Amino acid sequence: MDKKSRDFLFRYLNNSSPTGFESSGQQIWLDYIKPYINSHIVDTYGTVVGVVNPKAEYKVVIEAHADEISWFVNYITEDGYIYVRRNGGSDHQIAPSKRVNIYTEDGIVKGVFGWPAIHVRDAAREEAPSLKNIFIDVGAESKKEVEAMGVHVGCVITFEDELMEMNKRWLVGRALDNRMGGYMIAEVARRLSENKKKLPFGLYIVNAVQEEIGLRGAEMISRRIKPDVAICTDVTHDTQSPMYNKKESGNLKAGAGPVLCYGPAVQTNVLKMVLDTAQKRKIPFQRQAVSRSTGTDTDSFAYSAEGVASALISLPLKYMHTTVEMVHKDDVENVINLIYEFLLQLKSGHDFRYLK
């Protein structure tokens, strides 16, 4: 990671891109990849696509999602406290004592998720944090004062935490799920351009919106592009830390390489090509099995239109949907390298069908 990459990563990760409100992050991402693409697409809901060789008939997608989990203002009490509802899979358990940014038309309003002091709670009967009892304090004494700040029902809220490096090997922060994916596919585009690699097909670098509430951005853009192949990236659980069940979630370790997924939505011939690429280029990898779906944008691409040959390359991540999500720098580099090498060996027109 050179200075240019690092500066982009920190700017991109420290910016807020809540589901449905991704545009500021998408602009940062597009500005970074513009030198490495021939053209770009922005759809109605904000998915951004960088395109290399836009006139080519054979189309290949590499994809990540741009949105992060967040909250909505749902109710303001007469004495100025704010109750929330989820925008995506936000975790009520981690909310108490967190600092937040509330986005209004007049700018950011600072607030905190308050919580009663330990001194006044009865340990035998105390309530756990839930959507029924977590609340935000913006330092106001009335609903009228809150509204005068520009805060109203529907304002979106994110945690304030920012990206940091830890013990030289780790990146830690909120929204690594999945703006690390956006970073990785942008770096693939940069390397192809700077290494002057000419691809024999059209490459569509897709940063999709609204994954966290049902894979919606990928669903829309897949119908528009109609690709022949899609390689999607997202995060998956590192299962080594306490309280994870390897029998249920698999034996996956951050730092041990990209995770390659087996499941019905993953087209086996594409997966085999990814595996062969990793083995040939000596890129470490791990394997994961899923049941009915991957739960990622891979599903939207795989089942769009007449079907798209799709595979999933996941980045192992600790503590998903918290403000201390952690990824290993080696895994980030290896995901970038695996996608890059896969693209270099892929031939235009390759037919991935099982029967011909």
Side-chain angles (χ1 to χ4, degrees), residues 8 12 17 22-33 41-43 45-51 61-67 177-186 204-211 217-218 221 225 233 297 301:
F8 163 59
Y12 184 49
S17 291
E22 301 94 343
S23 58
S24 61
Q26 293 290 66
Q27 188 65 62
I28 292 169
W29 187 83
L30 179 58
D31 289 344
Y32 183 74
I33 68 164
I41 300 165
V42 180
D43 78 2
Y45 276 84
T47 290
V48 178
V49 184
V51 187
V61 159
I62 58 174
E63 191 265 1
H65 74 82
D67 58 317
D177 173 12
N178 180 37
R179 289 211 296 280
M180 283 307 306
Y183 167 79
M184 293 186 297
I185 60 175
Y204 292 72
I205 305 120
V206 177
N207 208 13
V209 298
Q210 299 196 27
E211 187 272 351
I221 201 66
I225 297 172
T233 68
D297 284 340
F301 276 94

Side-chain angles (χ1 to χ4, degrees), residues 103-173:
Y103 296 86
T104 77
E105 292 182 5
D106 301 321
I108 293 174
V109 171
K110 297 291 184 180
V112 298
F113 273 106
W115 196 246
I118 190 170
H119 313 73
V120 301
R121 303 199 308 265
D122 183 341
R125 295 182 299 173
E126 66 180 356
E127 292 184 72
S130 72
L131 281 178
K132 295 178 181 179
N133 60 24
I134 59 173
F135 62 90
I136 292 173
D137 187 336
V138 293
E141 295 185 359
S142 67
K143 180 177 181 180
K144 186 176 291 186
E145 187 179 354
V146 173
E147 291 174 340
M149 295 176 173
V151 177
H152 55 74
V153 170
C155 283
V156 70
I157 307 158
T158 61
F159 293 121
E160 194 178 61
D161 301 66
E162 294 189 337
L163 184 66
M164 71 175 185
E165 294 180 81
M166 190 169 73
N167 197 21
K168 299 181 181 179
R169 299 190 299 272
W170 299 89
L171 294 165
V172 182

Side-chain angles (χ1 to χ4, degrees), residues 91 97 117 201 210 238 298 316:
D91 189 348
S97 83
F201 46 75
Q210 299 196 27
D238 167 285
T298 312

